Amino acid sequence: MSNRLSRILTTIFVLAVVLLPIYWLVSTSLKSNREITQEGTLYPHVPTLDNYVRLFTEKQFGSYLTNSLVVTFFSVAIALIVGAMGAYAIARFRLPFAAERKVGLFLLTLRIIPPVVILIPVYLLMLSLGLLDSWLGLIATYTAFNVTFCVWMMESFFREIPVDLEEAAMVDGDSRFGAFRRITLPLAAPGLAATAIFAVLVTFNEFLFALALTATPRAMTMPRGTATLIGRIDTDWASMAAAGVIGALPIVFFALLVQRHLVRGLTMGAVK
Amino acid sequence: MPSGTQARKYRLQGAGLDLALPYLMLAPGLTIVLGVLVYPLWDGLRASTRAYRYGSPISNVGFQNYVQLWSDAQFLNALWVTVKFVALSVSFEAVLGFALALFCLHEFRGIRLLRTVLIIPMVITPVVVAIVFRLIYASDAGMLTALSKATGGGEVQILGNPLNAFIGLVALDVWEWTPLMFLILLAGLQSLPHEPFEAARVDGAGAWRVFADLTFPMMRPVLAVAIVLRTIDAFGTFDQVFVLTRGGPGEATRLISIYGYDTAFKFQQTGYAAALFVTIGLVVLALAFSAIRLLRRVDAS
């Protein structure tokens, strides 16, 4: 059937376009610099893991990894807790001056402004607080970005959960906060997971603020550290490729693991 | 915007802690946002009206930084490059993403694999995406050169040539973000009602008619949202260019974000750079809000 054949061919073509660049990254990371520049081979003839070893022994990739994990974990965790409470307050309570609607719009506006717009003042702020090149400076910045996003996402999840369930719990003697914690929060768990996954992706990949706010392996995150590698030794293609693989691997693995949440969270926000 | 479902709200009643609860719940989040986003935004506005030396303000210059922007050839060039980059990338992504979404609408063997693989480019760290494309474009070590040599050709020049470098940057963006467009549009297609399509089939309408008279008009709002989202994001593109070309060769790929960054951190013109970024922020906000208004009108009609 020609219809079926064209489907198969299209699928193969799309897969090739997506996967070929990734193949080239991985394959380059397994070659020596000599093989890369002088022989220009299409696959590693003498595969080696030296490039990876070099990253960790000579180029402090371990610290970049640690910094990324610490910064991502804390900024996402804090933003989730703080954001869930804020979103709940907006979704469930009447505030004076109809502020519950305005806060949402306000956060959305902050979300739309390109991050680069506040780069300079955030840099000046961290400079004056003495938080340049520290975990705390990065965590504070990323938490703020994540809070706007978490409140916006979670508000709609809380709205979808019927109020009656909380009221029932409160009739049974639970406090309002208790009903939120024991009834509403667990019911919103899938939404919270989708939000968290998204926040992790964005935070782990962030580069601009890491570039401006960090300067040494003490606080540099993985994207930031990888970029440093490129600037310093422009022709060390092998190290660059290996760094690329290690930089991409955890997040791709994570994304594929949680892809159902990922697609749902992403499209839910966009289509609504 | 809040969805149509009308959520009942508690009236504030009782006293003490219960009355204060919503404020207590909002306070931590708002404190962080006010401290780390809103205060800096305000500070950025102030900084944009000042002249600096070595990172310290030396004098107030009012709106002079803003005026100066419009006679700054490098700024105007960066703006033009950015507009070209955004328009080209987003158009390609919309067309390719829509085509892919239509292609994947019907279940067939391999579609799951396709969808899984398509997630990869958009989740890979942008810095790594740039590395991947440097490894493709590099004239000595690149994939294009290797392929060309394997078939008897010579070195391929991409990043050394202004036009090629710009096209190369657009290609990178299309590779990275067409999947996002695809996912949003696929979700939109899947949520369309079935009845009109069945009626059309009964009437014997051809594939093109169905697309032009049903699919496309019904998909317009979703398509518009996807395009607006991508446009806003593309305006702020930084990481990929910073690693791929640093804005070169010459000014061929120097997007507005790169020019602003260099102005602030390389040339230490903090106030001028702040004015530049405030201007860009206003442009993007204006774009976003006029798009939202336009969408509401489309929705209402």
Side-chain angles (χ1 to χ4, degrees), chain A residues 17-18 24 36 82 92 94 96 100 118 121 164 166 205 207 234 270, chain B residues 8-11 23 29 37 40 116 123 125 134-135 141 175 225 239:
Chain A
V17 169
V18 175
W24 193 253
I36 294 168
V82 162
R92 282 284 197 266
R94 282 209 190 105
E100 72 270 13
I118 66 158
D164 311 82
E166 283 162 53
N205 288 344
F207 174 66
D234 215 326
Chain B
R8 244 180 302 157
K9 301 214 172 184
Y10 296 135
R11 291 195 163 279
Y23 306 101
L37 289 182
T116 304
V123 299
T125 312
R134 272 184 78 147
L135 289 169
W175 183 82
V225 170
D239 317 8

PDB file of all heavy atoms in Angstrom, chain A residues 17-18 24 36 82 92 94 96 100 118 121 164 166 205 207 234 270, chain B residues 8-11 23 29 37 40 116 123 125 134-135 141 175 225 239:
ATOM      1  N   VAL A  17      16.061  12.905  11.173  1.00  0.00           N
ATOM      2  CA  VAL A  17      16.376  14.324  11.372  1.00  0.00           C
ATOM      3  C   VAL A  17      16.597  14.620  12.851  1.00  0.00           C
ATOM      4  O   VAL A  17      17.478  15.378  13.233  1.00  0.00           O
ATOM      5  CB  VAL A  17      15.258  15.222  10.795  1.00  0.00           C
ATOM      6  CG1 VAL A  17      15.455  16.669  11.232  1.00  0.00           C
ATOM      7  CG2 VAL A  17      15.225  15.121   9.282  1.00  0.00           C
ATOM      8  N   VAL A  18      15.780  13.999  13.703  1.00  0.00           N
ATOM      9  CA  VAL A  18      15.914  14.259  15.136  1.00  0.00           C
ATOM     10  C   VAL A  18      17.139  13.554  15.709  1.00  0.00           C
ATOM     11  O   VAL A  18      17.873  14.117  16.519  1.00  0.00           O
ATOM     12  CB  VAL A  18      14.646  13.813  15.888  1.00  0.00           C
ATOM     13  CG1 VAL A  18      14.827  13.975  17.387  1.00  0.00           C
ATOM     14  CG2 VAL A  18      13.447  14.620  15.418  1.00  0.00           C
ATOM     15  N   TRP A  24      25.623  12.130  16.289  1.00  0.00           N
ATOM     16  CA  TRP A  24      26.916  12.765  16.042  1.00  0.00           C
ATOM     17  C   TRP A  24      27.564  13.224  17.347  1.00  0.00           C
ATOM     18  O   TRP A  24      28.772  13.106  17.528  1.00  0.00           O
ATOM     19  CB  TRP A  24      26.752  13.935  15.067  1.00  0.00           C
ATOM     20  CG  TRP A  24      28.073  14.406  14.549  1.00  0.00           C
ATOM     21  CD1 TRP A  24      28.714  15.553  14.882  1.00  0.00           C
ATOM     22  CD2 TRP A  24      28.924  13.712  13.640  1.00  0.00           C
ATOM     23  NE1 TRP A  24      29.914  15.627  14.232  1.00  0.00           N
ATOM     24  CE2 TRP A  24      30.073  14.514  13.465  1.00  0.00           C
ATOM     25  CE3 TRP A  24      28.834  12.492  12.963  1.00  0.00           C
ATOM     26  CZ2 TRP A  24      31.120  14.132  12.634  1.00  0.00           C
ATOM     27  CZ3 TRP A  24      29.877  12.114  12.134  1.00  0.00           C
ATOM     28  CH2 TRP A  24      31.008  12.924  11.979  1.00  0.00           C
ATOM     29  N   ILE A  36      38.901  13.009  15.309  1.00  0.00           N
ATOM     30  CA  ILE A  36      37.858  13.978  14.947  1.00  0.00           C
ATOM     31  C   ILE A  36      38.328  14.933  13.850  1.00  0.00           C
ATOM     32  O   ILE A  36      37.674  15.098  12.833  1.00  0.00           O
ATOM     33  CB  ILE A  36      37.428  14.795  16.192  1.00  0.00           C
ATOM     34  CG1 ILE A  36      36.739  13.880  17.203  1.00  0.00           C
ATOM     35  CG2 ILE A  36      36.497  15.929  15.795  1.00  0.00           C
ATOM     36  CD1 ILE A  36      36.550  14.522  18.558  1.00  0.00           C
ATOM     37  N   VAL A  82       5.677  26.837  48.609  1.00  0.00           N
ATOM     38  CA  VAL A  82       5.191  28.210  48.690  1.00  0.00           C
ATOM     39  C   VAL A  82       4.123  28.479  47.617  1.00  0.00           C
ATOM     40  O   VAL A  82       3.106  29.118  47.863  1.00  0.00           O
ATOM     41  CB  VAL A  82       6.413  29.135  48.510  1.00  0.00           C
ATOM     42  CG1 VAL A  82       6.008  30.523  48.154  1.00  0.00           C
ATOM     43  CG2 VAL A  82       7.265  29.127  49.763  1.00  0.00           C
ATOM     44  N   ARG A  92      -9.307  29.618  46.309  1.00  0.00           N
ATOM     45  CA  ARG A  92     -10.407  29.300  47.210  1.00  0.00           C
ATOM     46  C   ARG A  92     -10.965  30.474  48.005  1.00  0.00           C
ATOM     47  O   ARG A  92     -12.067  30.394  48.525  1.00  0.00           O
ATOM     48  CB  ARG A  92      -9.955  28.235  48.219  1.00  0.00           C
ATOM     49  CG  ARG A  92      -9.917  26.833  47.659  1.00  0.00           C
ATOM     50  CD  ARG A  92     -11.300  26.253  47.527  1.00  0.00           C
ATOM     51  NE  ARG A  92     -11.266  24.811  47.383  1.00  0.00           N
ATOM     52  CZ  ARG A  92     -11.260  24.164  46.212  1.00  0.00           C
ATOM     53  NH1 ARG A  92     -11.304  24.851  45.090  1.00  0.00           N
ATOM     54  NH2 ARG A  92     -11.204  22.844  46.167  1.00  0.00           N
ATOM     55  N   ARG A  94     -12.006  34.597  48.832  1.00  0.00           N
ATOM     56  CA  ARG A  94     -12.270  35.950  48.327  1.00  0.00           C
ATOM     57  C   ARG A  94     -11.343  36.895  49.052  1.00  0.00           C
ATOM     58  O   ARG A  94     -11.329  36.960  50.260  1.00  0.00           O
ATOM     59  CB  ARG A  94     -13.715  36.347  48.642  1.00  0.00           C
ATOM     60  CG  ARG A  94     -14.699  35.729  47.700  1.00  0.00           C
ATOM     61  CD  ARG A  94     -15.915  36.626  47.548  1.00  0.00           C
ATOM     62  NE  ARG A  94     -16.929  35.883  46.822  1.00  0.00           N
ATOM     63  CZ  ARG A  94     -18.008  35.376  47.415  1.00  0.00           C
ATOM     64  NH1 ARG A  94     -18.233  35.583  48.687  1.00  0.00           N
ATOM     65  NH2 ARG A  94     -18.873  34.697  46.714  1.00  0.00           N
ATOM     66  N   PRO A  96      -9.818  40.971  49.448  1.00  0.00           N
ATOM     67  CA  PRO A  96     -10.274  42.353  49.239  1.00  0.00           C
ATOM     68  C   PRO A  96      -9.858  42.864  47.854  1.00  0.00           C
ATOM     69  O   PRO A  96      -8.820  42.455  47.334  1.00  0.00           O
ATOM     70  CB  PRO A  96      -9.556  43.144  50.340  1.00  0.00           C
ATOM     71  CG  PRO A  96      -9.004  42.156  51.274  1.00  0.00           C
ATOM     72  CD  PRO A  96      -8.921  40.833  50.596  1.00  0.00           C
ATOM     73  N   GLU A 100      -7.654  38.263  44.308  1.00  0.00           N
ATOM     74  CA  GLU A 100      -7.356  36.881  43.900  1.00  0.00           C
ATOM     75  C   GLU A 100      -7.235  36.776  42.381  1.00  0.00           C
ATOM     76  O   GLU A 100      -6.517  35.940  41.868  1.00  0.00           O
ATOM     77  CB  GLU A 100      -8.400  35.906  44.461  1.00  0.00           C
ATOM     78  CG  GLU A 100      -9.774  35.966  43.824  1.00  0.00           C
ATOM     79  CD  GLU A 100     -10.693  36.961  44.514  1.00  0.00           C
ATOM     80  OE1 GLU A 100     -10.178  37.763  45.317  1.00  0.00           O
ATOM     81  OE2 GLU A 100     -11.902  36.947  44.243  1.00  0.00           O
ATOM     82  N   ILE A 118      15.384  41.348  33.462  1.00  0.00           N
ATOM     83  CA  ILE A 118      15.740  41.654  34.849  1.00  0.00           C
ATOM     84  C   ILE A 118      17.138  41.157  35.206  1.00  0.00           C
ATOM     85  O   ILE A 118      17.529  41.164  36.367  1.00  0.00           O
ATOM     86  CB  ILE A 118      14.717  41.111  35.854  1.00  0.00           C
ATOM     87  CG1 ILE A 118      14.700  39.588  35.842  1.00  0.00           C
ATOM     88  CG2 ILE A 118      13.333  41.657  35.606  1.00  0.00           C
ATOM     89  CD1 ILE A 118      14.141  39.066  37.153  1.00  0.00           C
ATOM     90  N   PRO A 121      19.445  44.111  36.967  1.00  0.00           N
ATOM     91  CA  PRO A 121      19.116  44.411  38.367  1.00  0.00           C
ATOM     92  C   PRO A 121      19.276  43.219  39.310  1.00  0.00           C
ATOM     93  O   PRO A 121      19.685  43.426  40.466  1.00  0.00           O
ATOM     94  CB  PRO A 121      17.658  44.876  38.317  1.00  0.00           C
ATOM     95  CG  PRO A 121      17.168  44.566  36.966  1.00  0.00           C
ATOM     96  CD  PRO A 121      18.331  44.481  36.062  1.00  0.00           C
ATOM     97  N   ASP A 164     -16.675  20.653  48.073  1.00  0.00           N
ATOM     98  CA  ASP A 164     -17.461  19.849  49.019  1.00  0.00           C
ATOM     99  C   ASP A 164     -16.605  18.906  49.856  1.00  0.00           C
ATOM    100  O   ASP A 164     -16.880  18.666  51.027  1.00  0.00           O
ATOM    101  CB  ASP A 164     -18.485  19.011  48.243  1.00  0.00           C
ATOM    102  CG  ASP A 164     -19.247  19.878  47.258  1.00  0.00           C
ATOM    103  OD1 ASP A 164     -18.701  20.125  46.160  1.00  0.00           O
ATOM    104  OD2 ASP A 164     -20.338  20.325  47.606  1.00  0.00           O
ATOM    105  N   GLU A 166     -13.581  19.302  50.956  1.00  0.00           N
ATOM    106  CA  GLU A 166     -12.977  20.020  52.077  1.00  0.00           C
ATOM    107  C   GLU A 166     -14.011  20.352  53.126  1.00  0.00           C
ATOM    108  O   GLU A 166     -13.769  20.243  54.323  1.00  0.00           O
ATOM    109  CB  GLU A 166     -12.356  21.334  51.593  1.00  0.00           C
ATOM    110  CG  GLU A 166     -11.049  21.166  50.903  1.00  0.00           C
ATOM    111  CD  GLU A 166     -10.723  22.405  50.097  1.00  0.00           C
ATOM    112  OE1 GLU A 166     -10.759  23.497  50.673  1.00  0.00           O
ATOM    113  OE2 GLU A 166     -10.485  22.267  48.887  1.00  0.00           O
ATOM    114  N   ASN A 205      18.108  23.425  33.149  1.00  0.00           N
ATOM    115  CA  ASN A 205      18.670  23.876  31.869  1.00  0.00           C
ATOM    116  C   ASN A 205      19.068  25.346  31.858  1.00  0.00           C
ATOM    117  O   ASN A 205      19.671  25.806  30.906  1.00  0.00           O
ATOM    118  CB  ASN A 205      17.649  23.637  30.751  1.00  0.00           C
ATOM    119  CG  ASN A 205      17.507  22.167  30.410  1.00  0.00           C
ATOM    120  OD1 ASN A 205      18.340  21.358  30.779  1.00  0.00           O
ATOM    121  ND2 ASN A 205      16.438  21.827  29.720  1.00  0.00           N
ATOM    122  N   PHE A 207      20.618  28.908  31.871  1.00  0.00           N
ATOM    123  CA  PHE A 207      22.000  29.277  31.572  1.00  0.00           C
ATOM    124  C   PHE A 207      22.299  30.759  31.826  1.00  0.00           C
ATOM    125  O   PHE A 207      23.312  31.109  32.443  1.00  0.00           O
ATOM    126  CB  PHE A 207      22.312  28.933  30.116  1.00  0.00           C
ATOM    127  CG  PHE A 207      23.656  29.403  29.651  1.00  0.00           C
ATOM    128  CD1 PHE A 207      24.814  28.864  30.189  1.00  0.00           C
ATOM    129  CD2 PHE A 207      23.770  30.384  28.682  1.00  0.00           C
ATOM    130  CE1 PHE A 207      26.060  29.286  29.767  1.00  0.00           C
ATOM    131  CE2 PHE A 207      25.013  30.814  28.254  1.00  0.00           C
ATOM    132  CZ  PHE A 207      26.153  30.270  28.799  1.00  0.00           C
ATOM    133  N   ASP A 234      38.935  26.014  22.660  1.00  0.00           N
ATOM    134  CA  ASP A 234      37.974  25.994  21.573  1.00  0.00           C
ATOM    135  C   ASP A 234      38.077  24.755  20.703  1.00  0.00           C
ATOM    136  O   ASP A 234      37.104  24.328  20.108  1.00  0.00           O
ATOM    137  CB  ASP A 234      38.143  27.246  20.708  1.00  0.00           C
ATOM    138  CG  ASP A 234      36.797  27.712  20.185  1.00  0.00           C
ATOM    139  OD1 ASP A 234      35.953  26.837  19.924  1.00  0.00           O
ATOM    140  OD2 ASP A 234      36.586  28.914  20.069  1.00  0.00           O
ATOM    141  N   ALA A 270      -1.267  25.142  27.472  1.00  0.00           N
ATOM    142  CA  ALA A 270      -1.298  25.862  26.210  1.00  0.00           C
ATOM    143  C   ALA A 270      -2.683  25.878  25.567  1.00  0.00           C
ATOM    144  O   ALA A 270      -3.103  26.871  25.004  1.00  0.00           O
ATOM    145  CB  ALA A 270      -0.292  25.243  25.248  1.00  0.00           C
TER     146      ALA A 270
ATOM    147  N   ARG B   8     -16.684  27.653  43.865  1.00  0.00           N
ATOM    148  CA  ARG B   8     -17.275  28.355  45.001  1.00  0.00           C
ATOM    149  C   ARG B   8     -16.156  28.849  45.895  1.00  0.00           C
ATOM    150  O   ARG B   8     -15.131  28.205  46.033  1.00  0.00           O
ATOM    151  CB  ARG B   8     -18.152  27.387  45.815  1.00  0.00           C
ATOM    152  CG  ARG B   8     -19.618  27.784  45.818  1.00  0.00           C
ATOM    153  CD  ARG B   8     -20.377  26.789  46.642  1.00  0.00           C
ATOM    154  NE  ARG B   8     -20.208  25.438  46.130  1.00  0.00           N
ATOM    155  CZ  ARG B   8     -20.386  24.366  46.911  1.00  0.00           C
ATOM    156  NH1 ARG B   8     -20.662  24.502  48.190  1.00  0.00           N
ATOM    157  NH2 ARG B   8     -20.258  23.161  46.402  1.00  0.00           N
ATOM    158  N   LYS B   9     -16.343  29.995  46.483  1.00  0.00           N
ATOM    159  CA  LYS B   9     -15.283  30.485  47.364  1.00  0.00           C
ATOM    160  C   LYS B   9     -15.796  30.594  48.782  1.00  0.00           C
ATOM    161  O   LYS B   9     -16.951  30.919  49.006  1.00  0.00           O
ATOM    162  CB  LYS B   9     -14.818  31.856  46.892  1.00  0.00           C
ATOM    163  CG  LYS B   9     -14.307  31.809  45.481  1.00  0.00           C
ATOM    164  CD  LYS B   9     -13.183  32.761  45.277  1.00  0.00           C
ATOM    165  CE  LYS B   9     -12.598  32.503  43.905  1.00  0.00           C
ATOM    166  NZ  LYS B   9     -11.453  33.305  43.644  1.00  0.00           N
ATOM    167  N   TYR B  10     -14.904  30.313  49.698  1.00  0.00           N
ATOM    168  CA  TYR B  10     -15.271  30.496  51.098  1.00  0.00           C
ATOM    169  C   TYR B  10     -15.404  31.963  51.401  1.00  0.00           C
ATOM    170  O   TYR B  10     -14.587  32.770  50.981  1.00  0.00           O
ATOM    171  CB  TYR B  10     -14.190  29.919  52.026  1.00  0.00           C
ATOM    172  CG  TYR B  10     -14.021  28.443  51.897  1.00  0.00           C
ATOM    173  CD1 TYR B  10     -12.760  27.886  51.826  1.00  0.00           C
ATOM    174  CD2 TYR B  10     -15.138  27.608  51.849  1.00  0.00           C
ATOM    175  CE1 TYR B  10     -12.601  26.530  51.704  1.00  0.00           C
ATOM    176  CE2 TYR B  10     -14.975  26.252  51.733  1.00  0.00           C
ATOM    177  CZ  TYR B  10     -13.707  25.721  51.656  1.00  0.00           C
ATOM    178  OH  TYR B  10     -13.551  24.373  51.547  1.00  0.00           O
ATOM    179  N   ARG B  11     -16.435  32.309  52.146  1.00  0.00           N
ATOM    180  CA  ARG B  11     -16.459  33.662  52.685  1.00  0.00           C
ATOM    181  C   ARG B  11     -15.521  33.659  53.889  1.00  0.00           C
ATOM    182  O   ARG B  11     -15.397  32.658  54.579  1.00  0.00           O
ATOM    183  CB  ARG B  11     -17.874  34.018  53.156  1.00  0.00           C
ATOM    184  CG  ARG B  11     -18.824  34.157  52.007  1.00  0.00           C
ATOM    185  CD  ARG B  11     -20.093  34.873  52.468  1.00  0.00           C
ATOM    186  NE  ARG B  11     -20.812  35.347  51.314  1.00  0.00           N
ATOM    187  CZ  ARG B  11     -20.502  36.453  50.670  1.00  0.00           C
ATOM    188  NH1 ARG B  11     -19.496  37.201  51.091  1.00  0.00           N
ATOM    189  NH2 ARG B  11     -21.189  36.848  49.629  1.00  0.00           N
ATOM    190  N   TYR B  23      -4.007  35.150  53.758  1.00  0.00           N
ATOM    191  CA  TYR B  23      -2.851  36.058  53.675  1.00  0.00           C
ATOM    192  C   TYR B  23      -1.576  35.342  54.092  1.00  0.00           C
ATOM    193  O   TYR B  23      -0.514  35.515  53.496  1.00  0.00           O
ATOM    194  CB  TYR B  23      -3.091  37.294  54.553  1.00  0.00           C
ATOM    195  CG  TYR B  23      -4.389  37.979  54.202  1.00  0.00           C
ATOM    196  CD1 TYR B  23      -5.524  37.803  54.978  1.00  0.00           C
ATOM    197  CD2 TYR B  23      -4.478  38.760  53.052  1.00  0.00           C
ATOM    198  CE1 TYR B  23      -6.725  38.402  54.633  1.00  0.00           C
ATOM    199  CE2 TYR B  23      -5.669  39.359  52.696  1.00  0.00           C
ATOM    200  CZ  TYR B  23      -6.791  39.176  53.490  1.00  0.00           C
ATOM    201  OH  TYR B  23      -7.963  39.756  53.133  1.00  0.00           O
ATOM    202  N   GLY B  29       5.170  33.255  49.153  1.00  0.00           N
ATOM    203  CA  GLY B  29       5.362  33.326  47.705  1.00  0.00           C
ATOM    204  C   GLY B  29       5.494  34.751  47.229  1.00  0.00           C
ATOM    205  O   GLY B  29       6.399  35.090  46.467  1.00  0.00           O
ATOM    206  N   LEU B  37      11.985  39.488  41.997  1.00  0.00           N
ATOM    207  CA  LEU B  37      11.569  39.854  40.637  1.00  0.00           C
ATOM    208  C   LEU B  37      11.092  41.299  40.533  1.00  0.00           C
ATOM    209  O   LEU B  37      11.520  42.051  39.672  1.00  0.00           O
ATOM    210  CB  LEU B  37      10.446  38.921  40.146  1.00  0.00           C
ATOM    211  CG  LEU B  37      10.816  37.486  39.837  1.00  0.00           C
ATOM    212  CD1 LEU B  37       9.608  36.718  39.332  1.00  0.00           C
ATOM    213  CD2 LEU B  37      11.924  37.420  38.813  1.00  0.00           C
ATOM    214  N   PRO B  40      13.812  44.042  41.610  1.00  0.00           N
ATOM    215  CA  PRO B  40      14.781  44.205  40.520  1.00  0.00           C
ATOM    216  C   PRO B  40      14.186  44.878  39.285  1.00  0.00           C
ATOM    217  O   PRO B  40      14.878  45.665  38.626  1.00  0.00           O
ATOM    218  CB  PRO B  40      15.201  42.772  40.205  1.00  0.00           C
ATOM    219  CG  PRO B  40      15.006  42.041  41.472  1.00  0.00           C
ATOM    220  CD  PRO B  40      13.804  42.659  42.111  1.00  0.00           C
ATOM    221  N   THR B 116       7.857   9.945  21.414  1.00  0.00           N
ATOM    222  CA  THR B 116       8.905   9.887  22.437  1.00  0.00           C
ATOM    223  C   THR B 116      10.175  10.565  21.957  1.00  0.00           C
ATOM    224  O   THR B 116      10.770  11.376  22.649  1.00  0.00           O
ATOM    225  CB  THR B 116       9.208   8.420  22.795  1.00  0.00           C
ATOM    226  OG1 THR B 116       7.995   7.803  23.210  1.00  0.00           O
ATOM    227  CG2 THR B 116      10.228   8.327  23.893  1.00  0.00           C
ATOM    228  N   VAL B 123      13.830  19.063  25.376  1.00  0.00           N
ATOM    229  CA  VAL B 123      14.228  18.967  26.781  1.00  0.00           C
ATOM    230  C   VAL B 123      15.740  19.022  26.967  1.00  0.00           C
ATOM    231  O   VAL B 123      16.221  19.310  28.054  1.00  0.00           O
ATOM    232  CB  VAL B 123      13.669  17.691  27.469  1.00  0.00           C
ATOM    233  CG1 VAL B 123      12.165  17.709  27.446  1.00  0.00           C
ATOM    234  CG2 VAL B 123      14.229  16.438  26.864  1.00  0.00           C
ATOM    235  N   THR B 125      19.252  20.425  27.314  1.00  0.00           N
ATOM    236  CA  THR B 125      19.746  21.739  27.727  1.00  0.00           C
ATOM    237  C   THR B 125      20.124  22.575  26.509  1.00  0.00           C
ATOM    238  O   THR B 125      20.907  22.113  25.679  1.00  0.00           O
ATOM    239  CB  THR B 125      20.986  21.538  28.615  1.00  0.00           C
ATOM    240  OG1 THR B 125      20.686  20.556  29.589  1.00  0.00           O
ATOM    241  CG2 THR B 125      21.383  22.829  29.278  1.00  0.00           C
ATOM    242  N   ARG B 134      27.317  22.978  16.904  1.00  0.00           N
ATOM    243  CA  ARG B 134      28.703  23.338  16.589  1.00  0.00           C
ATOM    244  C   ARG B 134      29.449  22.133  16.044  1.00  0.00           C
ATOM    245  O   ARG B 134      30.255  22.253  15.134  1.00  0.00           O
ATOM    246  CB  ARG B 134      29.429  23.845  17.838  1.00  0.00           C
ATOM    247  CG  ARG B 134      29.252  25.337  18.043  1.00  0.00           C
ATOM    248  CD  ARG B 134      30.039  25.818  19.212  1.00  0.00           C
ATOM    249  NE  ARG B 134      31.458  25.961  18.878  1.00  0.00           N
ATOM    250  CZ  ARG B 134      32.222  26.892  19.416  1.00  0.00           C
ATOM    251  NH1 ARG B 134      31.720  27.737  20.293  1.00  0.00           N
ATOM    252  NH2 ARG B 134      33.481  26.963  19.105  1.00  0.00           N
ATOM    253  N   LEU B 135      29.145  20.978  16.619  1.00  0.00           N
ATOM    254  CA  LEU B 135      29.792  19.752  16.152  1.00  0.00           C
ATOM    255  C   LEU B 135      29.299  19.359  14.764  1.00  0.00           C
ATOM    256  O   LEU B 135      29.924  18.568  14.076  1.00  0.00           O
ATOM    257  CB  LEU B 135      29.529  18.597  17.128  1.00  0.00           C
ATOM    258  CG  LEU B 135      30.256  18.689  18.461  1.00  0.00           C
ATOM    259  CD1 LEU B 135      29.726  17.652  19.435  1.00  0.00           C
ATOM    260  CD2 LEU B 135      31.754  18.502  18.256  1.00  0.00           C
ATOM    261  N   ALA B 141      35.928  19.780  12.146  1.00  0.00           N
ATOM    262  CA  ALA B 141      35.528  18.563  12.841  1.00  0.00           C
ATOM    263  C   ALA B 141      34.054  18.234  12.653  1.00  0.00           C
ATOM    264  O   ALA B 141      33.542  17.298  13.243  1.00  0.00           O
ATOM    265  CB  ALA B 141      35.821  18.714  14.339  1.00  0.00           C
ATOM    266  N   TRP B 175      14.983  22.835  14.750  1.00  0.00           N
ATOM    267  CA  TRP B 175      15.203  21.470  15.248  1.00  0.00           C
ATOM    268  C   TRP B 175      14.753  21.365  16.702  1.00  0.00           C
ATOM    269  O   TRP B 175      14.102  20.406  17.096  1.00  0.00           O
ATOM    270  CB  TRP B 175      16.691  21.110  15.128  1.00  0.00           C
ATOM    271  CG  TRP B 175      17.025  19.706  15.531  1.00  0.00           C
ATOM    272  CD1 TRP B 175      16.897  18.591  14.759  1.00  0.00           C
ATOM    273  CD2 TRP B 175      17.530  19.269  16.797  1.00  0.00           C
ATOM    274  NE1 TRP B 175      17.298  17.476  15.465  1.00  0.00           N
ATOM    275  CE2 TRP B 175      17.689  17.861  16.721  1.00  0.00           C
ATOM    276  CE3 TRP B 175      17.867  19.910  17.986  1.00  0.00           C
ATOM    277  CZ2 TRP B 175      18.172  17.090  17.781  1.00  0.00           C
ATOM    278  CZ3 TRP B 175      18.350  19.139  19.043  1.00  0.00           C
ATOM    279  CH2 TRP B 175      18.492  17.756  18.939  1.00  0.00           C
ATOM    280  N   VAL B 225      -2.248  30.533  19.780  1.00  0.00           N
ATOM    281  CA  VAL B 225      -1.614  30.425  21.099  1.00  0.00           C
ATOM    282  C   VAL B 225      -0.199  29.866  20.961  1.00  0.00           C
ATOM    283  O   VAL B 225       0.756  30.397  21.542  1.00  0.00           O
ATOM    284  CB  VAL B 225      -2.444  29.521  22.040  1.00  0.00           C
ATOM    285  CG1 VAL B 225      -1.659  29.215  23.297  1.00  0.00           C
ATOM    286  CG2 VAL B 225      -3.761  30.199  22.387  1.00  0.00           C
ATOM    287  N   ASP B 239      20.979  31.512  25.111  1.00  0.00           N
ATOM    288  CA  ASP B 239      21.957  30.444  25.357  1.00  0.00           C
ATOM    289  C   ASP B 239      22.549  29.875  24.065  1.00  0.00           C
ATOM    290  O   ASP B 239      23.765  29.751  23.934  1.00  0.00           O
ATOM    291  CB  ASP B 239      21.328  29.263  26.118  1.00  0.00           C
ATOM    292  CG  ASP B 239      20.428  29.702  27.246  1.00  0.00           C
ATOM    293  OD1 ASP B 239      20.157  30.915  27.372  1.00  0.00           O
ATOM    294  OD2 ASP B 239      19.981  28.824  28.006  1.00  0.00           O
TER     295      ASP B 239
END
